[in-house]
Amino acid sequence: MTDFFANFLNPEKRLFVGYLISAAFIAVIWLKIAQKKPLTEIVSGFFNYNVWFSKSAIADYKLMIFNQFFLKLLAPILIGQLALTVFIFENMHLLFSRPSSSIPVWMVMLIFTSVLFILDDFSRYLLHRLMHRIPLLWRFHKAHHSATNLTPLTVLRTHPIEAVLFSLRAVIVHSLCLGVCFFFFAGSVSLIEIFGSSVFVVIFHSLGSNLRHSHVNLSYWNWLEKILISPAQHQLHHSISPKHYDCNFGAVFAIWDNIGRSCIVSEKNQDIKFGLKDQSDNAHKLKNLIIGS
């Protein structure tokens, strides 16, 4: 249960309570000013029983709890970040002569934090795109897309195998950055942090990342949505409409989608239906989410 509550108490996690509060605050401002909704309607919408206790949302909770236990069981056999970092660091000596670094510590921290954030985002985009394009991987990923109601907790509505793949992705990316940076910059490698988390991660989540899985279609200007993925763009990614299939795979940057020609900007007052084509209510049963229907 400790791991479960860590999702809400750890600033490295998207569901950290501080990020949820900031997302709610942003949503209130957006709905009040941009969509001119009454405050009573906004508040009642936040606590809508039909959303939070729908079959889709309850499936989110069940799969989230199941994955906590599943990943804990697999943890001893998953590749360790420290071991992989050391392996990469040692093998760098076979490719390069180790330089003597005279770069200021603050610059090393800025380089490392920036490179890690960008590479982490690109690897998320790439794996996410493969999840849609490779039939075997789609069998796992469709559990996430079967959600018909989006709440912040839908981010954890993932098939156990997908959860493992994204965990391995994180280990590989972080180990690669650490191993290479330790080789070139010696012992001065560290993140620029706020509350124990990367400054860029904190900024991203504080600016409403949790609205991506919600019914609050907060959009940006069209030119900005070609650089950064807005919550409304990610909601298009969950759309059941064929014209929105395989779009907006990115998490933070829309640049990768622009390069891959999969970027679609949001639509004004878009009305989206979420889920999979022709799915039944059985799609929300835990057994079907894990082994398929």
Side-chain angles (χ1 to χ4, degrees):
M1 288 300 289
T2 303
D3 291 340
F4 174 79
F5 287 112
N7 285 308
F8 304 97
L9 301 176
N10 186 347
E12 294 182 2
K13 305 290 186 180
R14 180 184 290 195
L15 294 177
F16 173 59
V17 64
Y19 304 145
L20 291 171
I21 292 171
S22 69
F25 182 72
I26 292 168
V28 168
I29 294 174
W30 173 258
L31 294 172
K32 182 70 176 172
I33 296 176
Q35 299 189 5
K36 304 187 185 306
K37 290 188 176 182
L39 188 58
T40 53
E41 182 182 336
I42 295 171
V43 174
S44 63
F46 282 175
F47 301 101
N48 190 328
Y49 180 91
N50 293 327
V51 172
W52 291 98
F53 291 95
S54 64
K55 290 182 179 180
S56 178
I58 291 172
D60 293 355
Y61 312 147
K62 289 179 179 178
L63 195 51
M64 178 176 66
I65 293 170
F66 179 87
N67 282 335
Q68 294 290 332
F69 289 103
F70 181 78
L71 290 175
K72 202 168 187 67
L73 288 174
L74 283 185
I77 63 173
L78 291 177
I79 186 170
Q81 183 171 310
L82 178 60
L84 185 55
T85 299
V86 172
F87 175 81
I88 292 171
F89 174 78
E90 293 297 335
N91 280 274
M92 289 291 292
H93 291 83
L94 302 178
L95 301 174
F96 305 98
S97 298
R98 195 172 186 189
S100 56
S101 176
S102 58
I103 301 177
V105 172
W106 69 266
M107 188 175 291
V108 173
M109 293 173 66
L110 180 60
I111 291 171
F112 176 63
T113 305
S114 302
V115 169
L116 179 59
F117 185 71
I118 293 169
L119 188 58
D120 186 75
D121 189 63
F122 173 71
S123 65
R124 285 177 186 274
Y125 157 81
L126 184 59
L127 181 53
H128 190 185
R129 190 177 185 112
L130 291 175
M131 283 279 177
H132 280 256
R133 295 299 174 84
I134 298 175
L136 177 61
L137 296 182
W138 171 247
R139 288 181 64 86
F140 304 132
H141 188 54
K142 71 178 183 179
H144 180 67
H145 277 270
S146 65
T148 50
N149 282 302
L150 301 186
T151 74
L153 274 68
T154 305
V155 72
L156 297 181
R157 182 194 178 109
T158 57
H159 190 281
I161 300 302
E162 178 177 351
V164 168
L165 290 175
F166 271 93
S167 294
L168 288 173
R169 175 210 61 81
V171 167
I172 292 170
V173 168
H174 285 231
S175 299
L176 180 62
C177 286
L178 279 168
V180 171
C181 286
F182 269 124
F183 180 82
F184 285 108
F185 303 126
S188 57
V189 175
S190 62
L191 284 171
I192 300 174
E193 295 181 336
I194 299 177
F195 307 128
S197 184
S198 166
V199 62
F200 296 132
V201 170
V202 171
I203 291 172
F204 169 61
H205 290 321
S206 297
L207 293 178
S209 66
N210 283 296
L211 296 179
R212 282 161 165 71
H213 292 109
S214 77
H215 293 253
V216 180
N217 60 331
L218 190 155
S219 60
Y220 304 152
W221 296 285
N222 282 2
W223 65 267
L224 186 56
E225 288 192 341
K226 293 179 181 178
I227 302 172
L228 299 173
I229 295 286
S230 72
Q233 280 179 288
H234 189 74
Q235 289 157 19
L236 287 179
H237 176 76
H238 277 267
S239 170
I240 200 170
S241 172
K243 69 178 181 179
H244 298 142
Y245 287 173
D246 292 343
C247 74
N248 301 341
F249 297 107
V252 180
F253 296 111
I255 297 168
W256 321 124
D257 281 296
N258 271 308
I259 294 172
R261 298 185 178 182
S262 54
C263 181
I264 298 180
V265 297
S266 62
E267 304 160 0
K268 188 176 181 180
N269 300 320
Q270 60 188 24
D271 184 18
I272 304 170
K273 184 178 180 181
F274 304 119
L276 298 171
K277 186 179 180 181
D278 299 327
Q279 76 178 45
S280 67
D281 284 347
N282 289 333
H284 298 307
K285 290 185 177 180
L286 184 61
K287 181 188 74 171
N288 291 334
L289 288 169
I290 295 172
I291 65 176
S293 54

